[in-house]
Amino acid sequence: MSSRGQRGPRIDHEACLHGLSVMAGCADCIAACPHEALSFSGGAIHLDPVACNDCGACVGVCPVRAITAGQPQVTPLADTGTLTLVCQRHKAARGLTARACIQSAGREQVARWMLDNIRHIACATGDCETCPDAPAAGLAETVNDLAPLAEAAGRIPPRITQASLSEVETWRRHAQDAPAQSRRALLRAVVAPLRESVADDRAGPALRRLQSEMPADAPRAFVPVIDAATCTGCDACIRLCPEAALTLINDDDGEMRYVVSADACTGCLLCEDVCTDAAIEVDAMKPAPPAVALNEFRCRACGRETHVPAAGDFGRTGLCPVCERTGHHKKLFQVLA
């Protein structure tokens, strides 16, 4: 966690994918940073506070919400379904701590706005084409990506327009009236996001909540798909999934199954990273796959209790995948003979 008062975002290294597994390949925050202020070494993401300017690009792209904004900012102004966002480079934000880059809002933030029934986003920006903070993917692209999910959930995706003079002026009056300069208000600005985060976590991440309102057969943002033919039933993906999007259950008939909860998947790809058999792939905008039925048995070579996909190629000989691949039991038979 970055130290108190330090410039730049706060990184929760325990929540970060690299804190969960040394095999994690996620580098979304590093790729998104326009100032090369983030790097990877020693098994962790590190921030260069000198290079960082708090643009917020890394916050929006982190799939496990392990990065939070470093500096308190004037909150966006929402009223009657319209959300007004003002970039800190816009002239109306002079003298105020506005949102650093309004284009950097990620899927989680946009999903939250959709749950709040925001139907219009009025943006006041600087020159995004020449701005050094501009991310590769902007707000409009993120909204468009999530629009099918909102529609499937019976919600109206927000439209994005340039903020009018009256909307900008209303935002500025709101920002100036907020007692953000006092120590008490500053404390609220720091504590409130933490309380909001705790409340959101109890209710579930916004993208998960949005998708939970959709029909079961509607496409999800991210969908882990297990290849039964190559899966060895090692359960590595089950144990390490940070969102519990993959689970191992015994159904009502007592049968073991791998179940994919696509609503919970954030596309972090940790399951792909840890699968040594390349038996799982995360697809985008597809319906959730059916559960994968498993066969449970005791390996006749090593005696280990194991389970493998019933429709797969392993287990038909009564051997676990390890014994079937290595053939160590054959060498033992040769010695005994």
Coordinates of all heavy atoms in Angstrom, one line a residue, residues 78-114:
A78 N -24.4 14.5 -10.1 CA -25.5 13.7 -10.7 C -26.8 14.3 -10.3 O -27.0 14.6 -9.1 CB -25.4 12.3 -10.2
D79 N -27.7 14.5 -11.3 CA -29.0 15.0 -11.0 C -30.0 14.5 -12.1 O -29.7 14.7 -13.3 CB -28.9 16.6 -11.0 CG -30.3 17.2 -10.6 OD1 -31.0 16.6 -9.7 OD2 -30.6 18.2 -11.2
T80 N -31.1 14.0 -11.6 CA -32.2 13.5 -12.5 C -31.7 12.7 -13.7 O -32.0 12.9 -14.8 CB -33.0 14.7 -13.0 OG1 -32.2 15.6 -13.8 CG2 -33.6 15.5 -11.9
G81 N -30.8 11.8 -13.4 CA -30.3 10.9 -14.4 C -29.2 11.4 -15.3 O -28.7 10.7 -16.2
T82 N -28.7 12.6 -15.0 CA -27.6 13.2 -15.8 C -26.4 13.3 -14.9 O -26.5 13.8 -13.7 CB -28.0 14.6 -16.3 OG1 -29.0 14.5 -17.3 CG2 -26.7 15.2 -17.0
L83 N -25.3 12.8 -15.4 CA -24.0 12.9 -14.6 C -23.1 13.9 -15.4 O -22.9 13.7 -16.6 CB -23.4 11.5 -14.6 CG -22.0 11.4 -13.9 CD1 -22.1 11.6 -12.4 CD2 -21.3 10.1 -14.2
T84 N -22.6 14.9 -14.6 CA -21.7 15.9 -15.2 C -20.3 15.6 -14.8 O -20.0 15.5 -13.6 CB -22.1 17.3 -14.8 OG1 -23.4 17.6 -15.2 CG2 -21.2 18.3 -15.5
L85 N -19.4 15.4 -15.7 CA -18.0 15.1 -15.4 C -17.1 16.2 -16.0 O -17.3 16.6 -17.2 CB -17.5 13.8 -16.1 CG -18.3 12.5 -15.6 CD1 -17.8 11.3 -16.4 CD2 -18.1 12.3 -14.2
V86 N -16.2 16.7 -15.2 CA -15.4 17.8 -15.7 C -13.9 17.4 -15.5 O -13.5 17.1 -14.4 CB -15.7 19.1 -14.9 CG1 -14.7 20.3 -15.4 CG2 -17.1 19.6 -15.2
C87 N -13.2 17.5 -16.5 CA -11.8 17.1 -16.5 C -11.0 18.2 -15.8 O -11.3 19.4 -15.9 CB -11.3 16.9 -17.9 SG -9.5 16.8 -18.1
Q88 N -9.9 17.9 -15.1 CA -9.1 18.9 -14.4 C -8.4 19.9 -15.4 O -8.0 20.9 -15.0 CB -8.1 18.2 -13.5 CG -7.0 17.5 -14.3 CD -5.9 16.9 -13.4 OE1 -6.0 17.1 -12.1 NE2 -4.9 16.3 -13.9
R89 N -8.3 19.5 -16.7 CA -7.7 20.3 -17.6 C -8.7 21.3 -18.3 O -8.3 22.2 -19.1 CB -7.0 19.5 -18.8 CG -5.9 18.7 -18.2 CD -5.2 17.9 -19.4 NE -4.2 17.0 -18.9 CZ -2.9 17.4 -18.7 NH1 -2.6 18.7 -19.0 NH2 -2.0 16.6 -18.2
H90 N -10.0 21.2 -17.9 CA -11.0 22.1 -18.4 C -10.9 23.4 -17.6 O -10.6 23.4 -16.4 CB -12.4 21.5 -18.3 CG -13.4 22.3 -19.0 ND1 -14.1 23.3 -18.5 CD2 -13.9 22.1 -20.3 CE1 -15.0 23.8 -19.4 NE2 -14.9 23.0 -20.5
K91 N -11.1 24.5 -18.3 CA -11.0 25.8 -17.6 C -11.9 26.0 -16.4 O -11.6 26.7 -15.5 CB -11.2 27.0 -18.6 CG -12.6 27.0 -19.3 CD -12.8 28.1 -20.3 CE -14.2 28.1 -20.9 NZ -14.3 29.2 -21.9
A92 N -13.1 25.3 -16.4 CA -14.0 25.4 -15.3 C -13.5 24.8 -14.0 O -13.9 25.1 -13.0 CB -15.3 24.7 -15.7
A93 N -12.4 23.9 -14.2 CA -11.9 23.2 -13.0 C -10.7 23.9 -12.4 O -10.1 23.4 -11.5 CB -11.5 21.8 -13.4
R94 N -10.4 25.1 -12.9 CA -9.3 25.9 -12.4 C -9.5 26.2 -10.9 O -10.5 26.7 -10.5 CB -9.1 27.2 -13.1 CG -8.5 26.9 -14.5 CD -8.5 28.2 -15.3 NE -8.1 28.0 -16.7 CZ -8.2 28.9 -17.7 NH1 -8.8 30.1 -17.4 NH2 -7.9 28.6 -18.9
G95 N -8.5 25.8 -10.1 CA -8.6 26.1 -8.6 C -9.3 25.0 -7.9 O -9.4 25.1 -6.7
L96 N -9.7 23.9 -8.6 CA -10.5 22.9 -8.0 C -9.8 21.5 -8.2 O -9.0 21.4 -9.2 CB -11.9 22.8 -8.5 CG -12.8 24.0 -8.3 CD1 -14.1 23.9 -9.1 CD2 -13.1 24.2 -6.8
T97 N -10.0 20.6 -7.4 CA -9.5 19.2 -7.6 C -10.5 18.4 -8.3 O -11.3 17.7 -7.7 CB -9.1 18.6 -6.3 OG1 -8.2 19.5 -5.6 CG2 -8.3 17.3 -6.5
A98 N -10.5 18.5 -9.6 CA -11.5 17.8 -10.4 C -11.0 16.4 -10.8 O -9.9 16.0 -10.5 CB -11.8 18.6 -11.7
R99 N -11.9 15.6 -11.4 CA -11.5 14.3 -11.8 C -10.4 14.4 -12.8 O -10.4 15.2 -13.8 CB -12.7 13.6 -12.5 CG -12.4 12.1 -12.8 CD -13.6 11.5 -13.5 NE -13.4 10.1 -13.7 CZ -13.7 9.1 -12.8 NH1 -14.3 9.4 -11.7 NH2 -13.5 7.9 -13.1
A100 N -9.3 13.7 -12.6 CA -8.1 13.9 -13.4 C -8.3 13.6 -14.8 O -8.0 14.4 -15.7 CB -7.0 12.9 -12.8
C101 N -8.8 12.4 -15.2 CA -9.1 12.1 -16.6 C -10.5 11.4 -16.6 O -10.6 10.3 -16.1 CB -8.1 11.2 -17.2 SG -8.4 10.7 -18.9
I102 N -11.5 12.1 -17.2 CA -12.8 11.5 -17.2 C -12.9 10.3 -18.2 O -13.9 9.6 -18.2 CB -13.9 12.5 -17.5 CG1 -13.7 13.1 -18.9 CG2 -13.8 13.6 -16.4 CD1 -14.8 14.1 -19.2
Q103 N -11.9 10.2 -19.1 CA -11.9 9.1 -20.0 C -11.5 7.8 -19.4 O -11.6 6.8 -20.0 CB -11.0 9.5 -21.2 CG -11.4 10.7 -22.0 CD -12.7 10.6 -22.7 OE1 -13.2 9.5 -22.9 NE2 -13.3 11.7 -23.2
S104 N -10.9 7.9 -18.2 CA -10.3 6.7 -17.6 C -11.2 5.9 -16.8 O -10.8 4.9 -16.2 CB -9.0 7.1 -16.8 OG -9.4 7.9 -15.7
A105 N -12.5 6.2 -16.7 CA -13.5 5.5 -15.9 C -13.5 4.0 -16.5 O -13.8 3.8 -17.7 CB -14.8 6.1 -16.0
G106 N -13.3 3.0 -15.7 CA -13.3 1.7 -16.1 C -14.7 1.0 -16.1 O -15.7 1.6 -15.8
R107 N -14.7 -0.3 -16.4 CA -16.0 -1.1 -16.4 C -16.7 -1.0 -15.1 O -17.9 -0.9 -15.1 CB -15.7 -2.5 -16.8 CG -15.2 -2.7 -18.3 CD -15.1 -4.2 -18.6 NE -14.1 -4.8 -17.8 CZ -12.8 -5.0 -18.2 NH1 -12.4 -4.6 -19.4 NH2 -11.9 -5.6 -17.4
E108 N -16.0 -1.1 -14.0 CA -16.6 -1.1 -12.7 C -17.4 0.2 -12.4 O -18.5 0.2 -12.0 CB -15.6 -1.5 -11.6 CG -16.2 -1.6 -10.2 CD -17.1 -2.9 -10.1 OE1 -17.1 -3.8 -11.0 OE2 -17.8 -2.9 -9.1
Q109 N -16.7 1.3 -12.7 CA -17.3 2.6 -12.5 C -18.5 2.8 -13.4 O -19.6 3.3 -13.0 CB -16.3 3.7 -12.7 CG -16.8 5.1 -12.5 CD -17.3 5.3 -11.1 OE1 -16.5 5.5 -10.2 NE2 -18.6 5.3 -10.9
V110 N -18.4 2.4 -14.7 CA -19.5 2.6 -15.6 C -20.7 1.7 -15.2 O -21.8 2.2 -15.3 CB -19.0 2.3 -17.1 CG1 -20.2 2.3 -18.0 CG2 -18.0 3.4 -17.5
A111 N -20.4 0.5 -14.8 CA -21.5 -0.4 -14.4 C -22.2 0.2 -13.1 O -23.4 0.1 -13.0 CB -20.9 -1.7 -14.0
R112 N -21.4 0.9 -12.3 CA -22.1 1.5 -11.1 C -23.0 2.6 -11.5 O -24.1 2.8 -11.0 CB -21.0 2.0 -10.2 CG -21.5 2.6 -8.8 CD -20.4 2.9 -7.9 NE -19.5 1.8 -7.7 CZ -18.3 1.8 -7.2 NH1 -17.7 3.0 -6.9 NH2 -17.6 0.7 -7.0
W113 N -22.6 3.4 -12.5 CA -23.4 4.5 -13.0 C -24.7 3.9 -13.6 O -25.8 4.5 -13.5 CB -22.7 5.3 -14.0 CG -21.6 6.2 -13.4 CD1 -21.5 6.6 -12.1 CD2 -20.4 6.7 -14.1 NE1 -20.3 7.4 -11.9 CE2 -19.7 7.4 -13.1 CE3 -19.9 6.6 -15.4 CZ2 -18.5 8.1 -13.4 CZ3 -18.8 7.3 -15.7 CH2 -18.0 8.0 -14.8
M114 N -24.5 2.8 -14.3 CA -25.7 2.2 -14.9 C -26.7 1.7 -13.9 O -27.9 1.8 -14.0 CB -25.3 1.0 -15.8 CG -24.6 1.4 -17.1 SD -24.0 0.0 -18.1 CE -23.5 0.9 -19.6

